[in-house]
Amino acid sequence: MSQPAYPFPEEPVGDLEAHDKSRHVEQKSTWKGRIWDTFDRPPLERKLLFKVDAVILTFASIKNLDQTNTNTAFLSGMKEDLNMYGNELVTSTSIWTVGYVIGQIPSNLLLTRVEPRWVIPALELGWGVATLGSYAVKSYKSLYALRFLVGLFESGFYPGIHYLLGSWYTPAEIGKRAMIFWLAGSLGQMFSGFLQAAAYKNLSGVHGLAGWRWLFIIDAIITLPIAVFGFFFFPPLPLQGKNTWWLTEDEFTLARTRLQKIGRAGKKPWTWVKVKSLFFSWHTYFLPMLYVIWNNQWPQQAIGYWLKSFNVKKNPPVPGKTYSVEQINVLPLPQTAIFIVCALSFAWLSDGVFRGRRWPFVYIGAVYSLVIAAIMRTFPLYKNINTTFAMYYISQIGQGAGPLILTFINELCSDDTEKRALLVAAANDLAYVVQAVAPNFVWKTTEFPRAKKGWTWSLILNILLIVWMTAILLLIRRDQKKRRQEEADGSSQGDVSETYDSKAYDSGNDSQPETPGPAIGDNRAAVLH
């Protein structure tokens, strides 16, 4: 295991000394600690985590409205106003994705060298301005240009936040926080639905603007102040060696020490040896592809199109049955609410009962999702409306593994911060490269709500996801056997990062990391040095 880039004091002082002594007292797990891990931590660590949570999670979670507003606006009048009767919505999403994939890897690598408070808020400022401009578009071609800019400015945000989470939190903490950050997008979708319903009802015609245009204005009003907030509050990375004004020296030293204990590394120079190790590591090829497969098996939400299909003028599927614009925006929300509850359970179980293991939830989600896809390929959408609602509402229960996969990558690459930043960004980047192309063929707007090709695509990719996860676990098992053999021979000099899948923890005491391995491997504990 490579050593962190910064030295640490051998003898802690002040509050840190009291914290260090408290770590030697057995920490009993309480019901509050099972709900939120900080309740079972020593006072100094609890204070540190409270501050970091308040800044990072708040900043990271508020920005997600602008990723859902275009779909919401499409269903609320933009389709008709901009003459988007073909595949223009899918095309606008693809153009957004093109902008999104361009900057992800450079932005994440930049975070290993430049303070995040300059990188992330600047990006948010850019997409806030582009979102504001969307309210005034007169054609879908103008919308295309602005969606490209929004995607370009957003490119570094999602992988960047996941990299930052891996730069602050331990395995008993990171899964929950990664899930909360990701689910903020779903909450944003829910809020956007309510917001658009309210805008359509209360703001349509105000100052001569349609209700869907007001949604972009409101989103920008929310986004721009958060960007300014980030310039003042967003923290640096602990192992970059520079503190922030709202952490004491003891808290900052503790943040660095926590990372040292679990093998996180600071920045290192780019050398030919490093480049060669990245090129020949199986991590580089297998880990990003795991996320690519997961991201693209996700079925696009068809319930909105299904609701809108009742309102066609010719040959309605159920004569006499229609839904208002407000209903089209609000009725899909239980699907998102059910999904959020199930996804949160994935994260809490992964950090807690499963002691840092991420891979079981990839299997659980894939099996459930392929069954749903198989059913929805031929499901009679209009035979029983209540049954169809129920199927849509439970269709995304298995989709909660994504943040845990990025956490999995964060943990596997703990001892090389550049590799960690690169692979987290590459995973998200490549996922969107595929996403920019595939929907134009398998999730065509004109084929909704049936979307049989799309459900078939989802089914096939979920089978592939199971196969790919199994291959990764076998590679981890191979590396564990190799390491045990090297240790037995007294010649263990290899790269430890390729010999375990995550550092599992007793959720009540992070000072004793383990190397659990998959169920098919060994559960041998190993303290990291």
Side-chain angles (χ1 to χ4, degrees):
M1 172 71 65
S2 14
Q3 294 298 323
Y6 299 96
F8 296 91
E10 293 183 1
E11 296 295 332
V13 294
D15 291 339
L16 188 59
E17 182 175 13
H19 167 86
D20 189 66
K21 291 179 180 179
S22 72
R23 299 294 292 198
H24 290 82
V25 178
E26 183 179 356
Q27 299 289 319
K28 293 184 178 179
S29 178
T30 66
W31 67 268
K32 291 190 297 182
R34 294 188 184 96
I35 295 174
W36 193 248
D37 44 64
T38 58
F39 288 112
D40 285 345
R41 304 301 170 84
L44 181 62
E45 190 170 11
R46 190 181 311 145
K47 187 176 180 182
L48 166 68
L49 291 173
F50 173 80
K51 289 182 177 180
V52 176
D53 287 343
V55 173
I56 294 181
L57 292 183
T58 299
F59 182 89
S61 299
I62 292 177
K63 57 79 52 191
N64 288 283
L65 283 177
D66 44 49
Q67 287 190 359
T68 60
N69 51 25
T70 303
N71 283 351
T72 306
F74 177 84
L75 296 172
S76 305
M78 186 174 73
K79 173 183 177 180
E80 292 78 10
D81 288 354
L82 300 186
N83 196 29
M84 299 174 69
Y85 291 100
N87 283 319
E88 289 85 4
L89 179 63
V90 171
T91 301
S92 73
T93 301
S94 298
I95 290 173
W96 174 89
T97 304
V98 171
Y100 191 69
V101 303
I102 290 175
Q104 288 192 59
I105 292 176
S107 177
N108 243 34
L109 292 178
L110 187 64
L111 286 173
T112 68
R113 297 300 189 266
V114 179
E115 287 186 55
R117 75 186 181 101
W118 299 119
V119 179
I120 302 296
L123 294 174
E124 179 150 13
L125 189 64
W127 79 65
V129 172
T131 297
L132 179 61
S134 301
Y135 94 91
V137 295
K138 303 300 183 183
S139 69
Y140 61 79
K141 292 182 180 179
S142 299
L143 180 67
Y144 289 168
L146 287 168
R147 291 308 291 169
F148 173 80
L149 291 176
V150 171
L152 183 65
F153 285 119
E154 283 192 343
S155 63
F157 190 86
Y158 186 73
I161 294 296
H162 275 284
Y163 169 71
L164 294 176
L165 292 176
S167 300
W168 277 95
Y169 295 105
T170 69
E173 304 156 354
I174 186 174
K176 292 186 286 292
R177 287 154 176 91
M179 188 66 72
I180 288 171
F181 164 52
W182 181 58
L183 287 177
S186 295
L187 290 172
Q189 182 178 349
M190 291 182 66
F191 184 64
S192 182
F194 285 119
L195 191 64
Q196 182 57 52
Y200 190 89
K201 182 178 181 180
N202 300 312
L203 293 176
S204 289
V206 174
H207 297 296
L209 298 177
W212 66 265
R213 295 183 184 274
W214 277 104
L215 179 62
F216 291 110
I217 297 174
I218 294 169
D219 286 353
I221 290 172
I222 294 172
T223 298
L224 293 173
I226 297 300
V228 176
F229 168 91
F231 286 117
F232 292 97
F233 287 92
F234 212 69
L237 306 184
L239 295 181
Q240 283 181 339
K242 186 175 181 180
N243 197 0
T244 184
W245 62 269
W246 45 265
L247 286 180
T248 67
E249 286 302 318
D250 281 345
E251 290 166 349
F252 186 63
T253 302
L254 173 59
R256 295 165 64 186
T257 304
R258 280 163 30 97
L259 298 173
Q260 182 191 35
K261 287 183 177 181
I262 62 172
R264 295 281 196 274
K267 64 181 179 182
K268 299 175 186 176
W270 280 98
T271 64
W272 172 244
V273 173
K274 175 185 280 289
V275 173
K276 186 178 179 180
S277 69
L278 285 170
F279 188 76
F280 287 103
S281 170
W282 65 262
H283 290 166
T284 303
Y285 304 98
F286 277 81
L287 296 181
M289 189 56 62
L290 180 69
Y291 189 76
V292 171
I293 298 169
W294 173 84
N295 184 79
N296 285 278
Q297 60 75 36
W298 187 299
Q300 292 197 11
Q301 290 199 25
I303 185 172
Y305 298 97
W306 177 70
L307 291 168
K308 198 171 181 67
S309 71
F310 285 89
N311 296 354
V312 296
K313 295 180 180 180
K314 294 182 179 180
N315 301 319
V318 180
K321 182 66 176 178
T322 61
Y323 291 99
S324 67
V325 170
E326 184 176 357
Q327 288 176 310
I328 292 172
N329 280 291
V330 173
L331 287 175
L333 299 184
Q335 178 187 55
T336 305
I338 293 169
F339 156 71
I340 287 172
V341 171
C342 294
L344 287 173
S345 70
F346 275 25
W348 259 253
L349 288 169
S350 179
D351 277 0
V353 175
F354 283 79
R355 305 184 69 217
R357 292 174 176 84
R358 317 301 177 187
W359 58 268
F361 301 95
V362 178
Y363 282 122
I364 293 170
V367 171
Y368 182 91
S369 298
L370 73 86
V371 170
I372 289 293
I375 293 173
M376 293 303 295
R377 286 180 70 253
T378 57
F379 191 80
L381 296 177
Y382 301 101
K383 183 177 181 180
N384 186 309
I385 292 176
N386 291 332
T387 302
T388 303
F389 267 118
M391 282 301 302
Y392 278 132
Y393 286 165
I394 67 171
S395 64
Q396 295 190 351
I397 285 177
Q399 300 296 335
L404 300 181
I405 292 174
L406 293 181
T407 297
F408 187 59
I409 297 173
N410 252 320
E411 293 167 336
L412 271 166
C413 303
S414 264
D415 71 333
D416 189 330
T417 196
E418 289 80 18
K419 180 180 183 180
R420 188 162 59 85
L422 176 64
L423 296 193
V424 168
N428 201 56
D429 204 15
L430 294 172
Y432 277 91
V433 169
V434 178
Q435 187 171 305
V437 177
N440 291 284
F441 299 96
V442 297
W443 293 108
K444 291 183 177 182
T445 305
T446 53
E447 294 182 0
F448 276 102
R450 165 56 59 202
K452 186 173 182 179
K453 288 181 182 177
W455 289 111
T456 303
W457 168 258
S458 180
L459 189 154
I460 293 170
L461 287 191
N462 274 294
I463 294 172
L464 180 58
L465 184 61
I466 293 170
V467 173
W468 204 263
M469 186 73 254
T470 302
I472 289 174
L473 295 184
L474 291 174
L475 286 167
I476 292 170
R477 182 178 183 181
R478 182 203 66 178
D479 288 341
Q480 289 174 331
K481 287 183 177 180
K482 180 180 178 181
R483 185 187 183 199
R484 287 196 299 270
Q485 184 61 46
E486 289 174 343
E487 289 176 343
D489 295 340
S491 59
S492 179
Q493 300 295 330
D495 179 4
V496 176
S497 71
E498 304 231 358
T499 63
Y500 58 92
D501 64 336
S502 65
K503 287 84 173 175
Y505 280 72
D506 180 339
S507 59
N509 183 1
D510 280 346
S511 65
Q512 298 297 325
E514 289 185 356
T515 306
I520 59 175
D522 80 297
N523 293 318
R524 181 171 50 87
V527 177
L528 302 178
H529 299 288

